[in-house]
Amino acid sequence: MAFVTYETEGAVGIITIDRPKALNALNSEVLDDLNAVLDSVDVDVIRCLVLTGAGEKSFVAGADIGEMSSLTVAEGEAFGKKGNDIFRRIETFPVPVIAAINGFALGGGCELSMSCDIRFCSDNAVFGQPEVGLGITPGFGGTQRLARIVGPGMAKQMIYTARNIKADEALRIGLVNAVYTQEELLPAAKKTAAGIAKNAPIAVRNCKKAINDGLEVPMDEAIVIEEKLFGACFETHDQKEGMSAFLEKRKEKEFLNK
Ligand code: CAA
């Protein structure tokens, strides 16, 4: 793959978008590479993913403006669908994904981070949805996910004004979970990922699914989703192991993803 690299450290997979000459902007090839990398993740082994950008300046500086500049209506819609399908795949990926946002997260970059479960950023990170200044709407989920994460008022302000915000403001409005120095960012993301990977994998996956699916339906239906996923944990090896370790006052636990 030309624009996306993938490495593993134990049960943690690290995906890096690597297109430095365009500040990791997302053209069709980068999107295809990202999709192909997701195909290659062995979810029987990998229990958490970290997604970041190469270099010290940019996570992802948006969808590729050069590629978009000559699209027709139909092609624009298809490009939006391409990005949306991949980002939705990340959002619903069986294992959690942590975005380590190491600089610019503009347009499609902000949108990519919002498809992840957890967002950590570096103190030089800049977030924004600059699309209306380019004559388009956010097209990779920004109009939908930003409003769900920071609330409609703040999302509308950011999107209508196209104003960028820095890391401290992103933290204040709840767009990111934590801010680190540039040096600390990736180690912090990997450490959190390793912590998640230590927990019972079926339970973690079911939590992700319960939160995601439950947020899309009324509470009466949401609690039924929870009940099913809660119930599905029982009789697994990992439920027996987790509970017997507690009852036996045993610190060491061996979760086998079954
Ligand atoms: N698409 C294509 N190329 C991009 C790009 C993008 N989104 N962002 C940066 N680049 C390219 C630049 O064209 C430049 O290439 P050249 O060296 O060949 O000229 C290179 O990356 C370096 O960029 P700059 O020289 O501009 O770097 P800078 O430090 O001066 O500025 C920046 C950095 C503020 C991020 C600026 O590059 C910028 O504003 N980029 C565009 C950000 C943007 O508008 N993103 C939203 C895109 S629309 C979108 O994403 C739609 C959607 O929702 C799907």
Side-chain angles (χ1 to χ4, degrees):
M1 264 163 279
F3 297 122
V4 181
T5 64
Y6 180 59
E7 56 190 319
T8 59
E9 291 181 14
V12 174
I14 301 127
I15 297 173
T16 306
I17 298 177
D18 188 5
R19 191 188 173 212
K21 73 180 171 73
L23 301 180
N24 303 328
L26 304 171
N27 62 13
S28 293
E29 247 181 300
V30 179
L31 289 171
D32 286 339
D33 283 1
L34 193 51
N35 206 27
V37 155
L38 294 173
D39 286 338
S40 74
V41 175
D42 182 352
V43 290
D44 292 331
V45 175
I46 296 302
R47 297 180 180 182
C48 192
L49 289 171
V50 173
L51 175 63
T52 194
E56 291 179 354
K57 194 171 165 184
S58 184
F59 172 67
V60 166
D64 191 290
I65 299 169
E67 181 173 342
M68 286 186 296
S69 62
S70 58
L71 298 184
T72 63
V73 170
E75 288 166 346
E77 193 176 326
F79 189 58
K81 179 167 168 41
K82 187 180 180 84
N84 271 336
D85 286 352
I86 295 167
F87 289 14
R88 184 71 178 141
R89 194 173 170 203
I90 292 170
E91 188 169 49
T92 58
F93 206 67
V95 301
V97 185
I98 300 176
I101 303 146
N102 55 308
F104 292 114
L106 300 175
C110 186
E111 292 168 309
L112 176 60
S113 77
M114 291 191 292
S115 71
C116 299
D117 296 272
I118 294 170
R119 280 164 294 286
F120 291 165
C121 76
S122 53
D123 48 16
N124 67 324
V126 177
F127 295 82
Q129 298 290 162
E131 286 87 350
V132 294
L134 295 163
I136 56 172
T137 64
F140 290 170
T143 58
Q144 304 310 309
R145 293 196 181 93
L146 190 58
R148 283 167 170 77
I149 293 170
V150 303
M154 191 58 78
K156 285 175 175 176
Q157 184 178 333
M158 279 181 69
I159 291 171
Y160 300 167
T161 64
R163 190 178 68 83
N164 292 343
I165 60 169
K166 292 183 178 166
D168 55 349
E169 195 174 348
L171 181 65
R172 187 177 62 75
I173 66 173
L175 182 54
V176 297
N177 296 33
V179 182
Y180 296 93
T181 64
Q182 283 175 264
E183 300 71 46
E184 286 168 343
L185 174 66
L186 202 52
K190 287 182 187 175
K191 190 173 172 199
T192 299
I196 291 170
K198 269 195 191 150
N199 289 322
I202 295 168
V204 172
R205 284 176 193 215
N206 286 8
C207 289
K208 173 165 177 168
K209 192 163 169 48
I211 294 168
N212 280 356
D213 293 358
L215 280 171
E216 286 174 14
V217 297
M219 185 58 84
D220 286 328
E221 290 172 40
I223 54 175
V224 175
I225 291 173
E226 184 186 78
E227 287 157 17
K228 299 271 178 230
L229 289 160
F230 173 69
C233 296
F234 288 84
E235 297 182 49
T236 62
H237 166 278
D238 291 348
Q239 175 255 328
K240 292 182 200 309
E241 169 70 0
M243 292 192 181
S244 49
F246 175 81
L247 295 172
E248 292 160 14
K249 303 194 187 303
R250 169 162 58 84
K251 271 226 165 75
E252 289 311 309
K253 289 176 267 193
E254 197 184 5
F255 290 127
L256 300 178
N257 201 11
K258 61 180 190 182

